[in-house]
Amino acid sequence: MSDRIVDGVRKHTPSILLFFDESPFSLLWLWLSTEKRKQIKSEKIGIILYIAMASPGGQGGGAVSTRGAGARRMKWALELSLGNARGRGDRQSNQGDVMYPIGYSDKPVPDTSIQETDKNLVEKRCWDVALGPLKQIPMNLFIMYMSGNTISIFPIMMVCMMAWRPIQALMSMSATFKLLENSNQQWLQGLVYSVGNLLGSALAIYKCQSMGLLPTHSSDWLAFIEPPQRMEIMGGGMVL
Amino acid sequence: MSKPTSLFVIFFSLFVMSEAVFEDQVGKFDWRQQYVGKTLFAHFDSHSQSSKKLFLATDKNIFASFNSRTGDLFWRHVDKVGPEGTIDILLLHGQDALMVVGGGRLLRSWDTNMGGLNWEAVLDTGSFQAACFVAIQDTVKHVAVLKKAVISLHYLTNGHQKWVENLPDSDTVQYQAVYSGGEEEVYVLGVVPNSHLTIIAYSLEDGEIIKQRSVEAPWLSSVESSCVVIGQGVLMCVDPATLALYTLPIQAEEAPQFNQILLQVTPVQPRLESVVFPPQLYVHAFLKKDDSVGYRVLVQTQDHALTFIQQPGRVVWTREEALADVVTMEMVDLPLTGTQAELEGEFGKKADGLFPMVLKRLSSQVILLQVWLAHLWKLFYEARQPHGQVKNEVTIETLSRDEFNLQKMMVMVTASGKLFGIDSKSGSILWKHYLENVQPNAVFKLIVQRTTAHFPHPPQCTLLIKDKDTGLASLHVFNPIFGRKSHIAPPALPRPILQSLLLPVIDQDYAKVLLLVDDQYKVTAFPSTKNVLQQLQEMASSIFFYLIRSDQGNLSGFRLRKDLSTERIWEVVLPTEVQKIVAVNGKRPNEHVHSQGRVMGDRSVLYKYLNPNLLAVVTESTDAHPERAFVGVFLVDGVTGRIIHEAVQRKARGPVHFVHSENWVVYEYWNTKSRRNEFSVLELFEGTELYNSTVFSSLDRPHLPQVLQQTYIFPSPITTMEATLTEKGITSRHLLVGLPSGAILSLPKMFLDPRRPEVVTEHSREENLIPYAPEMPIRTEWFINYNQTVARVKGIYTAPSGLESTCLVVAYGLDIYQTRVYPSKQFDVLKDDYDYVLISSVLLALFFATMISKRLAQVKLLNRAWR
């Protein structure tokens, strides 16, 4: 989706149409996310709106309408990017002033009403993120128990997954911290998150140990023992 | 419990199986050569003119038939070893071959066409003297057999005895010949040495004595060695002392008298020894189509070669029958090809300046190019030839090492003193060398002093030949690839040699040093250059050797002094009145052990006791009574003389066959109580801790190893035993067991493991231990020589190849059989029946399918874009 549409839609964002989004979860997400995320989400909203305004025959017609081949097959199309200086603005500017979408208001709508719950939701979400790895541990334990100690493809896959996920999570700690940066308990959450991951990897190591994959026994180093050097030369036999 | 166990065994054995050869692999990498030994009697089949059969009876108790055109074996009957099976005489008449076997024990008649037995008759006791066909007017119906005191007549058709008569005065007269002249009489010739000759005529009908005469012959001592019957009953004798020839008509009625013919003696005339044809020459004269006389000659030479010569002096074929009695052998790597050697030379030597190096590189590249072009030309030339005519003749010039070092030179030493160089791939004899003046009871020891790895120095083998009677030894130094005698002069050995010892010390020419110990325990080094002597002086304190005198029951160890004399440092005496030392075996010097321990079920390590100086000494009791007989196995450290372990098997008797390798000894004996053959295995472990993992010194080993032992029942007696050997020792070991049936069994060592548990546990299953079962199986798939039986296997030689999975095996005895074994299957090389065509065609097809579908996808995308 091009910037053009996004820019166009931003102006017309009506709060009521938020409910057209897919799920309440996304709604929550929308509110929690940063400015950029807001932009993208509102783009989605814009499209919904746009589709609602378009005729039932033109599924995704708005997007397609800009293309040369598609446009020809359309009976009619709406162009929402009004007053945009970029793109094909010049050609359509003469009609732009007349076409306002339904529910359009020139003044931005202030949304100060949900500020308090928003903050709580952010906290909650951040704790969810931080406690995620810890919550997975019982599940991992169950999987460990179920997969057994035999060395075959499935237990190995399980162990690899179990070992790899915490490591991956620990490696992308900075991204997680960015997620948590809105929270005021950021450091505590970060600590809990990393402890959870460490516990996960400890579990994976324990699993490896019980499966006998760790070189902890002397037999694992047997192949590296060189044959001892011979100090005496000896020979002989029966008297010929 | 038992059911899962047996299931486990079955499951496991399925894993172990599939060792056998597939039908299409027969003869692909194995070959067998059959021999018969030294000829005693030979007969040409004169039954029909076009017959090409030749019948031989040999000193190996073999009766064989050959194709006289090619020298190939038609059939062969191998009788018992020793005097029980000796062939006393072979007579041929028409389709029947008559044989007296076992010192006059049996009379046998064979059908010469098929080689089947017509009949067999047991003769009366008494040492055999002579036998002949008895004919009446040219139709042979009987055979007369003369023994020391008895003469008997048998029917030719069924072997039944017609009559038997005691010979008169058999305690004074030595009856030595029997003759029948085609009449109703059988003449027996006996001699009282240096007195007179006795001729007795028996009636053919009832065995009555018709005539009995005596002829004065004070010069005659033996009819057998100096007389022959020629023509129509004329006895011809020779007296070497007076150089006289005597003739006597046997059937003469009047008072018989020898006619003496004195021979003219001229300087060119050979010394007259016997009137009998030398037994090494068999002549067959026949009438050709144009009524001229043709002849064929079979010559048995001193080196046991059998040569067949046709009339114009053309050698039709030669058989090297000396190979029926191989004493010892070695396998030597073939040299690199000229180009490989050139490259080796380039990089093997020290750099001598930039410019010469560049020149050298260029010249070697040119040589490589030349070789490649020659190879291409050869391919082109061979492609033009019809398919059948292309022959891959192996000659000594084209001999070179193959990619995986699977083709080697087999150097074989035979009892007759003839050395052979045999190509292990094809079995063709590439060189032979006959050593003259080798006593029949000489002892040989073959030592490889320098392998082919040290280009440009030629490989070098040394054969130690010791005369049993005088004790004096001589060295024959030769190049094992070409068989030529080396120009290196071996040291003079004035004193009897007791033993030899090959040191890992090399001289400046990369030859390993051979020490020869004489009867004063002084040491002679060969080669003995200044460099070697200096090295020996430096190392003297760490060079030990042991000597075992079986007759005195004495084991003693010696240490080398700096002046090449020795000092005795230990002695073990096993009283000879109780037991005698039968055999001793150290470990093979070229054996590598990859794994230093065994992993237990709980993942700890049981370290092997890998003492390179360990000797396994086998003794047998002198008392042969089944209740008191025993077999002893002593594990002795050859440096310190310390007895590490002794195992005595009561109520057991030899012959003991054993293998000593890695940390185990496997031996086989006869259990006199249970009357069965048993295998026993001893394994030595150091425990879960290594005493010293970097160096092994027998002088610093305070702890005795843990010894485990287990015994199994083996369903067959065995003739010889050897273990497989691979380059790095990673591959699991098998035991190669030669059975009296001629089969060679490849028995996994896994079955001979003293840690096999009686009760299966988690740990033992983890270790892949097979539950203990007293019976050792013999599976026919384990026979590495499928139906190519090796008669009288005497020894099995194993050599590593360049591939870790592959071990080369040569079994020798009467026959020679060469093959390869893969104890852990071919894990490092594609199988020879790998389907290259299928795989590459599938790959190519997939490649093209990818290309085509990519193109199609592109077109489709483009079309969709335009829609």
Side-chain angles (χ1 to χ4, degrees), chain A residues 73-92:
Chain A
R73 269 195 277 143
M74 294 296 155
K75 282 190 176 161
W76 56 273
L78 273 177
E79 188 61 69
L80 293 179
S81 53
L82 308 173
N84 198 337
R86 286 175 293 165
R88 282 184 267 166
D90 288 345
R91 188 160 57 88
Q92 289 154 354

Side-chain angles (χ1 to χ4, degrees), chain B residues 213-339:
Chain B
R213 284 173 298 159
S214 169
V215 187
E216 284 297 312
W219 42 268
L220 189 65
S221 61
S222 165
V223 178
E224 209 175 4
S225 65
S226 51
C227 295
V228 69
V229 181
I230 53 166
Q232 280 296 313
V234 178
L235 183 71
M236 186 177 259
C237 295
V238 69
D239 177 19
T242 58
L243 289 172
L245 206 60
Y246 296 89
T247 56
L248 174 78
I250 295 173
Q251 289 144 315
E253 292 294 325
E254 65 270 23
Q257 190 74 43
F258 272 113
N259 303 321
Q260 190 185 24
I261 309 158
L262 277 171
L263 293 171
Q264 295 281 323
V265 183
T266 59
V268 285
Q269 204 167 15
R271 201 156 59 88
L272 191 66
E273 286 198 341
S274 165
V275 70
V276 189
F277 266 127
Q280 291 86 5
L281 200 67
Y282 305 93
V283 185
H284 178 222
F286 56 91
L287 272 182
K288 287 208 261 188
K289 280 185 187 128
D290 56 352
D291 278 355
S292 62
V293 177
Y295 61 85
R296 299 185 187 117
V297 187
L298 187 69
V299 187
Q300 163 88 60
T301 44
Q302 212 173 6
D303 60 350
H304 295 191
L306 203 59
T307 314
F308 191 74
I309 302 166
Q310 250 181 355
Q311 197 166 17
R314 189 168 64 89
V315 174
V316 184
W317 48 261
T318 304
R319 285 181 66 91
E320 292 295 347
E321 291 300 339
L323 285 170
D325 202 354
V326 175
V327 179
T328 179
M329 68 166 291
E330 284 288 340
M331 268 183 158
V332 184
D333 293 354
L334 290 178
L336 302 164
T337 54
T339 45

Side-chain angles (χ1 to χ4, degrees), chain B residues 435-459:
Chain B
L435 298 170
E436 281 168 42
N437 306 324
V438 170
Q439 299 299 313
N441 60 350
V443 185
F444 299 92
K445 195 170 175 182
L446 183 63
I447 303 128
V448 181
Q449 278 196 294
R450 182 166 55 217
T451 61
T452 36
H454 306 287
F455 185 82
H457 298 286

Side-chain angles (χ1 to χ4, degrees), chain B residues 506-561:
Chain B
I506 50 169
D507 70 347
Q508 68 270 36
D509 291 339
Y510 304 100
K512 283 184 185 166
V513 177
L514 184 70
L515 293 187
L516 298 154
V517 187
D518 64 20
D519 62 343
Q520 292 184 330
Y521 306 110
K522 283 243 165 69
V523 164
T524 315
F526 168 67
S528 58
T529 56
K530 200 179 270 178
N531 177 2
V532 167
L533 292 177
Q534 196 185 340
Q535 280 191 63
L536 279 181
Q537 274 191 3
E538 285 165 11
M539 298 184 61
S541 61
S542 67
I543 295 174
F544 299 82
F545 64 93
Y546 68 95
L547 286 175
I548 291 178
R549 287 180 182 276
S550 177
D551 50 339
Q552 298 165 10
N554 179 311
L555 288 84
S556 37
F558 300 85
R559 179 210 286 265
L560 196 67
R561 286 211 196 106

Side-chain angles (χ1 to χ4, degrees), chain B residues 532-697:
Chain B
V532 167
L533 292 177
Q534 196 185 340
Q535 280 191 63
L536 279 181
Q537 274 191 3
E538 285 165 11
M539 298 184 61
S541 61
S542 67
I543 295 174
F544 299 82
F545 64 93
Y546 68 95
L547 286 175
I548 291 178
R549 287 180 182 276
S550 177
D551 50 339
Q552 298 165 10
N554 179 311
L555 288 84
S556 37
F558 300 85
R559 179 210 286 265
L560 196 67
R561 286 211 196 106
K562 286 197 191 303
D563 58 346
L564 293 188
S565 63
T566 56
E567 56 178 330
R568 188 189 297 256
I569 51 171
W570 58 267
E571 190 170 22
V572 174
V573 179
L574 301 169
T576 45
E577 53 269 22
V578 180
Q579 55 190 340
K580 61 175 191 296
I581 300 169
V582 182
V584 64
N585 227 334
K587 287 173 191 170
R588 288 178 68 168
N590 57 347
E591 175 185 280
H592 293 274
V593 182
H594 178 73
S595 180
Q596 299 296 302
R598 284 193 53 176
V599 181
M600 303 283 95
D602 60 353
R603 301 181 62 209
S604 60
V605 177
L606 194 57
Y607 289 100
K608 295 174 184 171
Y609 180 75
L610 294 168
N611 184 347
N613 308 321
L614 195 67
L615 307 172
V617 181
V618 175
T619 63
E620 279 175 27
S621 63
T622 44
D623 193 347
H625 188 273
E627 283 296 312
R628 294 186 295 271
F630 66 88
V631 162
V633 175
F634 296 85
L635 301 180
V636 184
D637 190 301
V639 171
T640 59
R642 189 181 188 187
I643 295 177
I644 305 285
H645 181 73
E646 67 186 281
V648 174
Q649 214 81 38
R650 302 209 175 278
K651 291 169 188 161
R653 148 164 85 70
V656 179
H657 302 275
F658 72 112
V659 174
H660 179 204
S661 173
E662 282 190 39
N663 64 329
W664 47 264
V665 179
V666 172
Y667 58 98
E668 193 262 6
Y669 56 88
W670 171 257
N671 186 329
T672 52
K673 191 188 174 199
S674 311
R675 305 176 60 75
R676 65 193 181 200
N677 289 286
E678 288 182 356
F679 258 111
S680 196
V681 56
L682 282 170
E683 268 190 43
L684 291 90
F685 292 100
E686 226 170 89
T688 47
E689 298 276 314
L690 268 183
Y691 176 71
N692 186 344
S693 63
T694 50
V695 291
F696 191 100
S697 168

Side-chain angles (χ1 to χ4, degrees), chain A residues 73 212 214 216-220 222 225-240, chain B residues 466 498-499 501 539 542 544-548 582 596-597 599 603 605 613 638 694-699:
Chain A
R73 269 195 277 143
L214 295 186
T216 50
H217 289 84
S218 47
S219 58
D220 300 315
L222 182 63
I225 301 177
E226 291 291 313
Q229 201 193 336
R230 196 175 166 175
M231 292 305 280
E232 295 96 9
I233 301 167
M234 190 220 54
M238 288 254 199
V239 169
L240 288 177
Chain B
K466 185 180 167 178
L498 297 183
Q499 241 320 332
L501 165 63
M539 298 184 61
S542 67
F544 299 82
F545 64 93
Y546 68 95
L547 286 175
I548 291 178
V582 182
Q596 299 296 302
V599 181
R603 301 181 62 209
V605 177
N613 308 321
T694 50
V695 291
F696 191 100
S697 168
S698 290
L699 303 169

